[in-house]
Amino acid sequence: LPKGGKKRLEVIEPDLFERLLLACRPGASSGASGEYLAARNRTLLWIFFDTGMRASELCGLRVGNVDREQRRLRLGEQRHERWLTLSPDGWYQLLSYLEPYRLRAGGRGKEHDEDEPLFLSETYEPLTSNALTLVFHRLSKRAGITQQRITPSLLRDSFAIQYLQAGGEPATLRDLLGLKDRGALHRYERFLAQRM
């Protein structure tokens, strides 16, 4: 079988990211669950945008992965753990979700456990990659974004390109993204060279 061509690398422009954030606002009649989902969705967007983590990694985050003293997130286990920091905006959104919503189990009044999933679905079940796809689809539709497919991968690529544009070292980016080989790094470097 012929090999499929490599997917063209794209990044999200700042104005589209702002439109996605605005699309998180709850509707007038949505009540407390709408506020919870708005806070969760803004946090999801900022975490992907600030860290470049994979969708599966985000779905695997637990409440105990949030290091509030160092203002960072822990991914993986002890031998293969990575620490990712958030921008001030991202950290603010995470706390705006965590404090009033997630630590109260989505308003159900239960005490939280460090091992519980950090992100929950609309029905307060652990968030899955499929549910994330639906969240991104809904946000794109509400934001009126039709010219670009908005996915966690797009935000991951955008993070990588912005990191390199700001003068970040490719080896450090490789560690931040948890990449095993340099293939993806070369792709980012080529994209950046073409853009410049």
Side-chain angles (χ1 to χ4, degrees), residues 3 9 56 65 75 81 93 114 143 157 168 172 175 186 194:
K3 287 186 177 181
L9 188 62
S56 59
N65 292 127
L75 288 178
E81 77 180 8
Q93 290 302 328
E114 297 288 302
D157 292 341
T172 306
D175 293 340
H186 290 311
Q194 289 168 358

Side-chain angles (χ1 to χ4, degrees), residues 69-85:
E69 287 181 21
Q70 300 294 321
R71 300 174 81 169
R72 59 188 185 164
L73 297 170
R74 185 185 81 240
L75 288 178
E77 299 301 318
Q78 286 179 345
R79 291 186 60 204
H80 302 286
E81 77 180 8
R82 302 188 337 256
W83 289 95
L84 303 175
T85 57

Side-chain angles (χ1 to χ4, degrees), residues 165-185:
Q165 274 181 322
E169 290 295 321
T172 306
L173 177 62
R174 181 178 168 188
D175 293 340
L176 289 172
L177 294 177
L179 298 172
K180 301 240 186 293
D181 61 37
R182 288 193 47 89
L185 279 184

Side-chain angles (χ1 to χ4, degrees), residues 141-152:
K141 194 172 178 181
R142 283 183 73 187
I145 299 172
T146 56
Q147 68 272 30
Q148 190 172 30
R149 188 162 178 259
I150 308 296
T151 63

